[in-house]
Amino acid sequence: MIEIRNLKFSYSNLKSRTEVFDSLSMMIPSGEIVGLLGRNGTGKSTLLNLMAGLLDADAGTIAVEGVDVAQRGTALYTSLMIVPEEFSLPQLTLDRFVKVTAPFYPKYDEARFADCCSRFEVNRAVRLDRMSMGQRKKAYLAFALACNTPVLLLDEPTNGLDIPARQALRQMLAEQVNDERTIVISTHAARDIENLVDRLVILEPHRMVLNESIATLSTLFGVGVVPAGVEPLYSEPSVVGVRGVWVAEGDEESRMDMEMMFNAATRSPREVAAVIANHSKL
C-alpha cells in the first residue's frame, strides 16, 4: 500500500519557485496495477521519485508498505524498486550487475530473471554500456521484475521498446499481479497498459483529479459511441460517429478507454468528481 497525506512539493532556484503539488493526498491499495496519467509537467515522474524517497517533500508524508520514505531506511529499499524513464548503468555485464545488486533484494528470483531475459531476448553476457537504449531498458526491467519487491514504480516503461518487447512486458506484468504487490506505471502511452490497469490516477497541475478503480469507472461512465439524446462529458468525432464519455444510467459495464477517461476527467473534473462522490455515498 502507498499512502500520501498532505504532500507539498516545489522546485526552487535563486530566481523562482515552481509548485508541483499542494496538499496532495491519496491512497493506492496493495495488489493493484495503477495507471498514472497526466499532461507533461504535471508531476508524474516527480511523484514516483517522491514515493521512492529520491526527492524530499516540502511538507506532508508518504508511506510505502507502512514505511515513511523520508527515513530512507533499509526497509524501504528492500520493498521498493523504481525504473526511471532515463537512467545510467555501470560498465558491467548484465550478469555481473545482477550478482552485485541482487543481494539487496531479499525476494530476488533468479529463475524469473532468466525467464524475463529470455522473453526480452537480452544477452546477459553483454556489457550494459554496450547495449542499445532499448536493450538496456529491457535488461533493467527484467531485473526489476525479478526482484519481486512489494512496490514497483515504472516511469514510461514502454519508451524505447519494440512491439514484441511491449507485448512481453504486458504479459510479464500480468503474471506478477498478486494481493501483495503494487505496481504504479506512469505513461503517456495509455494504450500500452490499458488492459492491465486496475486503478486510474490522473494528475493536473498541483493536484489530483481522479483516483478510482477501473471497475467503478466502467460502471459509472459509458465510453464509446455516444447514444442519441445523451449529453457527453467529453466527445470527439470518429469514423463510426461521435465517441465520448457520459454518465451511465444502468448497471451495465463499459469497456474502459483510458485516453477518453483522461480527457473527460481533465475537461469536466467537477462533473466526474460529483458522479464518483454520489456513488460513494450509496
Side-chain angles (χ1 to χ4, degrees):
M1 177 185 293
I2 302 172
E3 191 170 8
I4 300 173
R5 294 184 181 274
N6 302 316
L7 179 69
K8 294 186 177 183
F9 180 80
S10 59
Y11 289 106
S12 302
N13 56 38
L14 295 176
K15 296 183 179 180
S16 64
R17 176 177 174 273
T18 302
E19 183 181 82
V20 182
F21 299 118
D22 181 18
S23 299
L24 174 68
S25 294
M26 63 185 294
M27 186 184 74
I28 298 174
S30 299
E32 293 189 341
I33 295 182
V34 181
L36 177 61
L37 306 184
R39 295 183 176 91
N40 291 332
T42 52
K44 300 186 301 300
S45 297
T46 297
L47 184 59
L48 293 187
N49 286 326
L50 285 162
M51 290 177 181
L54 301 178
L55 293 173
D56 289 318
D58 298 332
T61 61
I62 304 177
V64 173
E65 297 297 298
V67 177
D68 184 354
V69 302
Q71 297 178 5
R72 295 186 175 88
T74 303
L76 173 66
Y77 292 113
T78 56
S79 63
L80 178 148
M81 166 70 78
I82 182 171
V83 179
E85 180 179 9
E86 298 180 0
F87 53 85
S88 59
L89 294 172
Q91 297 178 4
L92 301 172
T93 65
L94 178 55
D95 262 341
R96 180 60 181 167
F97 170 77
V98 170
K99 185 175 181 178
V100 299
T101 309
F104 292 99
Y105 298 94
K107 295 184 178 180
Y108 170 77
D109 186 333
E110 171 61 25
R112 175 166 288 174
F113 178 63
D115 178 62
C116 291
C117 286
S118 174
R119 292 158 74 175
F120 272 145
E121 298 182 342
V122 173
N123 186 341
R124 300 171 55 167
V126 175
R127 271 180 35 172
L128 293 165
D129 59 313
R130 294 177 180 171
M131 292 182 178
S132 67
M133 182 188 75
Q135 288 296 99
R136 285 197 301 273
K137 173 68 78 68
K138 289 188 282 187
Y140 203 3
L141 284 169
F143 177 63
L145 291 168
C147 285
N148 288 310
T149 52
V151 174
L152 177 60
L153 309 177
L154 304 177
D155 194 2
E156 299 289 353
T158 60
N159 277 7
L161 298 186
D162 54 29
I163 292 174
R166 293 182 183 205
Q167 181 181 18
L169 176 61
R170 286 193 294 268
Q171 292 172 342
M172 287 184 278
L173 287 171
E175 292 166 2
Q176 295 203 4
V177 175
N178 59 59
D179 292 340
E180 298 179 351
R181 194 167 205 194
T182 304
I183 302 174
V184 182
I185 306 173
S186 168
T187 185
H188 290 294
R191 305 284 188 219
D192 283 342
I193 64 169
E194 194 163 66
N195 294 330
L196 290 173
V197 171
D198 302 298
R199 176 173 295 271
L200 183 58
V201 175
I202 298 176
L203 300 180
E204 279 282 86
H206 316 307
R207 64 196 180 106
M208 177 184 66
V209 295
L210 184 70
N211 176 14
E212 191 54 76
S213 72
I214 294 295
T216 297
L217 294 174
S218 298
T219 300
L220 297 181
F221 299 96
V223 181
V225 177
V226 181
V230 171
E231 184 66 28
L233 298 171
Y234 167 79
S235 64
E236 61 186 40
S238 76
V239 295
V240 295
V242 177
R243 299 185 73 249
V245 178
W246 62 94
V247 180
E249 295 184 357
D251 295 329
E252 184 177 349
E253 290 189 5
S254 298
R255 183 184 181 279
M256 184 48 55
D257 182 314
M258 286 173 49
E259 287 188 6
M260 297 282 279
M261 197 67 225
F262 171 84
N263 287 326
T266 55
R267 300 188 188 194
S268 301
R270 292 182 180 178
E271 292 85 346
V272 169
V275 172
I276 295 172
N278 289 336
H279 171 75
S280 299
K281 293 177 183 178
L282 298 179

